Amino acid sequence: MHILVCGGTGCQSSQSDAILSNLRDEIEAKGLSDKVQVILTGCFGFCEKGPIVKIIPDNTFYTQVKPEDAQIIVEEHIIKGRKVDRLLYRNPETKDAVGDSKHMGFFKKQLRIVLRNCGFIDPENIDEYIARDGYMALGKVISEMTPQQVIQEIKDSGQRGRGGAGFPTGLKWEIASKNKSDEKYVVCNADEGDPGAFMDRSVLEGDPHSVLEAMAICGYAIGASQGLIYIRAEYPLAIHRLKIAIDQAREYGLLGNNIFGSDFSFDIKLRYGAGAFVCGEETALIHSMEGLRGEPTIKPPFPAESGFKGKPTNVNNVETLAAIPIIILKGANWYNKIGTEKSKGTKVFALAGKINNVGLIEVPMGTTLREIIFEIGGGIRDGKKFKAVQTGGPSGGCLMEKHLDTPIDFDNLVAAGSMMGSGGMIVMDEDNCMVSVAKFFLEFTVEESCGKCAPCRIGNKRLYELLNQITEGKGSMEDLDRLRNMSVVIKDSALCGLGQTSPNPVLSTLDNFMDEYVAHVKDKKCPAGKCKNLMEYYIIPENCVGCTACARVCPVNAIAGERKEVHQINHDVCIKCGACKDKCKFDAIIIR
Amino acid sequence: MSNIKIEIRQEDVSKIKEICASYNRDPQELINILHACQEHFGYLPAEVQEVISAETGIPVAKIYGVVTFYSFFSMTPKGKHPISICMGTACYVRGAERVLEEFKKELKLQVGQTTPDGKFSLSSLRCVGACGLAPVVLIGDKTYGRVAPDDVKKILKEYE
């Protein structure tokens, strides 16, 4: 029997380390150490209900486990064979306990290829990866395939890069392989910058060897002997596990000189990012690895011709790489049957925001937004109404109700006015103001623009200022036209991917939520009640019972009224912090 | 440059030299060198950058350009308990802005500042990836999940 404890960042923040050590102590105390193994794994994806403990082989899925629950899990489940009912996941509608993960709505529609080992193996033990056919693909390419065959296999699989742009992986490798040079580089882009996307981190924390193996395969295919992983310094756990994985792979002879006794040599080094979103762009990333400011340069030349140290360099994203070993093992014809016509395979999404099941999911391309949000995601929190879903991070757009049945793939999302991006998916409900959301993303872009080209440096700042005016009730209808025109100009003229996509949140909200912009501009109202300057708090006399709770919580003493009598808000004093509304148990305070 | 002038001790100079040497004084390793120095000193004052410049041969202006380009590097010392509020999208839509406002109000600080007694510093960061716990606040190495504006006073009390 195995007890798996989630060791992802989310669960570790809620004491999964203590759960692990308590379980180990408990197992040892009961003399079960030879029968039951307690393992720290990578992320299960169901972060909403963490920390997670899973029992194998019966797939029991315990949620929100506390360190002190270790005893009951061992005594009841492990020894007596009875599931601990109160820790089981409950179906949010029926409130029934769900006995195993196979019957949970969250997992039913998923197909886990990239995440195949996450939450299943101990990421700090190479033997567990090898037991799951790890490094077999590397063995296969070195002993049975020519570099051209490897590239052909990846081309046939139809895989497209998961970093955002969706460029075909096989083609990228082919270009890098054809450029002759004494040295070439394989770079793994682990500078996951989209706020709200954490799939790369989970793969690196949960299955680091899959990325190392894929980089070596790529090295063999394009003729490189040096790999570099550019990883965010903000991901200490992923860095820690990568270092362990690299050491173990070297020890086993799976990295280093003459791998599998062949004349192919390959080794991997880590390079750290330092918090710059633009470094996700490959030319900027390469400059950052060279110790420079992470500013992009004009392509061509593409990195495949002249990249790191001026040598041909192939840059792939973590999620792209993690699928490579299994494509090699199961074949291109297995992979290209999954997904849609032009987008093959699966995609990992980080589901977050106002949704019941926040977490990391993997679905075949072509799954609809509705299936993801309402079946896997369990619908909107607190019974609120769905309003929008933001995909593609700061470069993406906001989609609405009418897009819910669109099958998701690279091209459909672009056609709908958004993009795949790295796979962040933020769900919003009726309480989110779409103008403020656009402003939020522009604020991000303004902060992260490297400043090299004027359209991005100046244009985005102007967009932000216009949006800010609108949320303050100072916008005009002409401003809306100005927003649109400027967005188009920035898209057409910016130097790199950051600037070329940064107006997307503005354009997509203008397209899909024009009425909300008009309400801000013409009626000077924020329909969602988020924009401070456009709202006022009122007490509904019929609902107010005079409990004084609001008056006590008000930080500026703007609420007056005798006990058991209707209270009033003094609008000259009110700072619109909303504390009273949160405190009121009688729904007596509204925003107008 | 930073208006903070510090006296740099001889042993600190040796430490920086040691760090640079461990990266072969290779200008391409500048970012790794800066990471190591920041880990040691807590921040990267101009004086530290000058020593790195002398060691690696990179002009100090270039080093300053790199330090100020990346948000991870700081030229001002952080507080004893650095507070970071996640302003990633997931935390934002779940109300991180109001949590940040509350911290600003309680500590009378703006983002990027440190309290005069050096106890707390306030910063916002982009996504720690614990979106299931949104909104998230980090104080030192400790993570606080599902933070409501009302919790802020209670959290700060832990550090009194």
Side-chain angles (χ1 to χ4, degrees):
Chain A
M1 252 179 145
H2 289 84
I3 305 178
L4 310 179
V5 181
C6 178
T9 294
C11 287
Q12 283 211 333
S13 315
S14 16
Q15 293 191 295
S16 74
D17 280 344
I19 298 171
L20 181 82
S21 66
N22 284 6
L23 280 168
R24 283 188 175 151
D25 292 348
E26 208 55 50
I27 290 291
E28 200 176 334
K30 297 283 189 305
L32 296 168
S33 303
D34 51 339
K35 294 197 185 77
V36 183
Q37 276 191 318
V38 187
I39 295 165
L40 189 72
T41 68
C43 180
F44 290 94
F46 200 41
C47 309
E48 179 71 36
K49 297 274 183 218
I52 307 288
V53 172
K54 189 174 175 181
I55 317 273
I56 299 281
D58 62 13
N59 288 317
T60 308
F61 200 81
Y62 290 129
T63 57
Q64 294 180 319
V65 179
K66 294 199 168 57
E68 54 272 23
D69 293 329
Q71 192 184 354
I72 190 162
I73 290 176
V74 172
E75 284 180 357
E76 283 293 305
H77 191 132
I78 306 297
I79 298 177
K80 295 179 187 156
R82 292 194 295 234
K83 295 190 179 188
V84 185
D85 191 71
R86 74 175 165 88
L87 294 175
L88 289 172
Y89 172 70
R90 282 179 195 279
N91 182 315
E93 278 166 25
T94 62
K95 305 283 173 224
D96 291 337
V98 184
D100 62 77
S101 58
K102 295 215 163 77
H103 290 90
M104 287 166 61
F106 182 74
F107 288 109
K108 256 190 220 167
K109 288 231 160 178
Q110 291 199 46
L111 176 64
R112 291 164 83 92
I113 292 176
V114 170
L115 302 175
R116 60 194 180 279
N117 291 327
C118 284
F120 200 78
I121 61 168
D122 176 355
E124 298 184 9
N125 184 348
I126 189 172
D127 292 333
E128 297 210 2
Y129 180 67
I130 291 172
R132 298 268 291 164
D133 295 340
Y135 291 103
M136 268 182 54
L138 180 61
K140 182 177 168 184
V141 299
I142 291 178
S143 56
E144 295 170 22
M145 296 168 86
T146 64
Q148 288 70 33
Q149 283 172 324
V150 177
I151 291 170
Q152 195 56 45
E153 194 73 16
I154 301 300
K155 277 174 84 175
D156 291 345
S157 77
Q159 194 203 30
R160 292 167 68 175
R162 262 53 175 168
F167 192 81
T169 312
L171 190 58
K172 210 175 201 179
W173 288 17
E174 188 171 51
I175 298 167
S177 81
K178 283 188 177 154
N179 286 310
K180 298 275 170 275
S181 172
D182 55 336
E183 183 60 287
K184 296 181 186 178
Y185 295 96
V186 176
V187 173
C188 168
N189 181 350
D191 189 47
E192 188 169 50
D194 280 12
F198 51 97
M199 58 282 295
D200 293 350
R201 198 206 58 204
S202 287
V203 170
L204 294 171
E205 285 176 3
D207 193 14
H209 286 286
S210 66
V211 176
L212 304 186
E213 182 180 6
M215 289 176 73
I217 292 170
C218 176
Y220 177 78
I222 69 167
S225 61
Q226 184 63 55
L228 294 148
I229 302 177
Y230 184 82
I231 182 162
R232 293 179 80 188
E234 290 93 330
Y235 285 174
L237 187 60
I239 292 172
H240 172 72
R241 294 207 173 134
L242 272 174
K243 281 183 179 164
I244 294 175
I246 292 172
D247 286 345
Q248 287 178 344
R250 281 187 191 140
E251 197 181 310
Y252 277 56
L254 298 165
L255 286 178
N257 290 330
N258 305 98
I259 297 170
F260 288 117
S262 69
D263 52 9
F264 173 62
S265 300
F266 192 79
D267 205 0
I268 296 175
K269 280 189 198 159
L270 295 183
R271 294 274 169 148
Y272 305 119
F277 179 66
V278 70
C279 289
E281 202 280 339
E282 50 187 15
T283 58
L285 181 150
I286 287 167
H287 292 137
S288 180
M289 290 199 309
E290 291 169 342
L292 306 171
R293 287 164 70 97
E295 288 169 349
T297 40
I298 291 172
K299 295 192 275 192
F302 287 90
E305 303 153 46
S306 171
F308 186 60
K309 299 186 181 177
K311 306 287 182 187
T313 304
N314 180 72
V315 185
N316 283 133
N317 161 273
V318 172
E319 193 187 332
T320 312
L321 289 168
I324 297 288
I326 198 159
I327 293 174
I328 296 290
L329 280 184
K330 293 202 175 184
N333 287 328
W334 163 79
Y335 190 80
N336 65 24
K337 293 204 173 53
I338 304 165
T340 63
E341 197 196 332
K342 287 190 175 152
S343 303
K344 301 299 181 191
T346 55
K347 178 77 192 89
V348 182
F349 289 101
L351 209 51
K354 303 281 187 67
I355 191 159
N356 276 315
N357 302 338
V358 168
L360 204 63
I361 63 157
E362 183 173 357
V363 290
M365 292 278 191
T367 307
T368 65
L369 284 166
R370 190 182 298 282
E371 287 171 293
I372 292 179
I373 295 167
F374 290 93
E375 294 182 36
I376 299 171
I380 312 300
R381 282 168 97 85
D382 305 326
K384 299 253 180 171
K385 202 170 166 296
F386 168 83
K387 183 173 189 175
V389 55
Q390 209 280 346
T391 68
S395 315
C398 292
L399 303 177
M400 58 196 292
E401 185 79 34
K402 69 171 181 195
H403 299 113
L404 282 180
D405 293 307
T406 312
I408 302 173
D409 66 12
F410 286 105
D411 310 294
N412 283 346
L413 281 178
V414 171
S418 184
M419 66 183 278
M420 185 75 81
S422 58
M425 201 176 266
I426 315 282
V427 178
M428 297 174 211
D429 67 9
E430 51 198 320
D431 292 340
N432 289 111
C433 163
M434 301 316 290
V435 185
S436 303
V437 167
K439 188 177 93 170
F440 168 78
F441 282 113
L442 260 295
E443 189 184 357
F444 178 88
T445 316
V446 168
E447 211 171 282
E448 294 295 342
S449 171
C450 77
K452 183 167 176 171
C453 75
C456 180
R457 182 182 70 239
I458 304 170
N460 284 319
K461 180 100 179 158
R462 295 291 96 82
L463 282 182
Y464 172 76
E465 286 165 357
L466 281 174
L467 289 166
N468 198 37
Q469 271 180 28
I470 295 170
T471 57
E472 286 180 348
K474 296 173 192 157
S476 65
M477 289 305 280
E478 289 75 53
D479 285 340
L480 301 187
D481 294 332
R482 215 167 280 146
L483 272 179
R484 187 180 290 279
N485 292 339
M486 202 146 58
S487 294
V488 174
V489 172
I490 296 170
K491 272 178 84 95
D492 287 345
S493 55
L495 173 66
C496 81
L498 195 157
Q500 287 158 9
T501 55
S502 59
N504 283 352
V506 181
L507 288 172
S508 72
T509 47
L510 279 172
D511 285 343
N512 295 327
F513 301 94
M514 190 61 178
D515 48 341
E516 235 177 290
Y517 277 90
V518 173
H520 280 78
V521 170
K522 277 198 169 160
D523 312 333
K524 309 290 175 201
K525 289 263 180 267
C526 173
K530 274 281 164 236
C531 298
K532 270 192 177 180
N533 284 16
L534 301 179
M535 65 190 194
E536 263 173 356
Y537 285 85
Y538 285 93
I539 295 177
I540 311 173
E542 295 81 50
N543 290 5
C544 179
V545 298
C547 70
T548 74
C550 58
R552 275 180 281 136
V553 77
C554 179
V556 290
N557 295 323
I559 305 180
E562 292 300 314
R563 201 174 172 77
K564 300 204 172 164
E565 278 175 29
V566 174
H567 284 50
Q568 282 107 29
I569 300 174
N570 180 351
H571 291 125
D572 296 333
V573 183
C574 174
I575 54 164
K576 302 168 186 175
C577 69
C580 54
K581 188 174 187 293
D582 291 344
K583 203 80 190 172
C584 181
K585 291 190 183 123
F586 306 95
D587 292 330
I589 299 179
I590 56 157
I591 300 167
R592 254 187 263 167
Chain B
M1 278 196 143
S2 164
N3 52 12
I4 301 171
K5 274 280 163 198
I6 55 156
E7 280 296 316
I8 191 158
R9 291 175 300 174
Q10 197 47 50
E11 62 194 81
D12 288 338
V13 174
S14 320
K15 180 70 195 174
I16 302 168
K17 285 185 175 170
E18 193 185 303
I19 289 169
C20 292
S22 72
Y23 289 101
N24 299 325
R25 298 185 188 85
D26 181 355
Q28 295 211 334
E29 297 278 4
L30 175 62
I31 289 173
N32 282 341
I33 292 171
L34 292 172
H35 271 298
C37 288
Q38 180 157 298
E39 199 162 286
H40 181 75
F41 294 99
Y43 68 119
L44 295 168
E47 291 76 3
V48 170
Q49 298 176 34
E50 280 162 15
V51 181
I52 298 173
S53 168
E55 286 298 298
T56 57
I58 309 169
V60 72
K62 285 243 175 201
I63 297 178
Y64 175 71
V66 170
V67 168
T68 50
F69 184 85
Y70 295 97
S71 63
F72 200 83
F73 298 132
S74 168
M75 288 185 58
T76 46
K78 283 196 171 161
K80 189 172 166 224
H81 306 292
I83 302 172
S84 308
I85 288 108
C86 179
M87 290 296 271
T89 321
C91 287
Y92 172 79
V93 302
R94 283 202 194 171
E97 221 175 2
R98 280 175 57 196
V99 176
L100 176 62
E101 287 304 316
E102 198 63 28
F103 273 106
K104 282 187 191 169
K105 207 174 78 193
E106 281 300 315
L107 296 168
K108 300 186 181 63
L109 278 187
Q110 290 302 314
V111 171
Q113 293 180 338
T114 305
T115 49
D117 60 1
K119 199 165 168 190
F120 295 107
S121 55
L122 194 60
S123 63
S124 66
L125 51 81
R126 302 287 181 188
C127 201
V128 286
C131 306
L133 301 172
V136 175
V137 172
L138 292 173
I139 301 187
D141 291 332
K142 194 166 173 193
T143 312
Y144 295 84
R146 300 197 175 94
V147 179
D150 280 356
D151 302 333
V152 169
K153 274 196 188 117
K154 200 175 68 204
I155 291 172
L156 287 174
K157 267 221 161 69
E158 289 178 30
Y159 296 89
E160 269 174 10

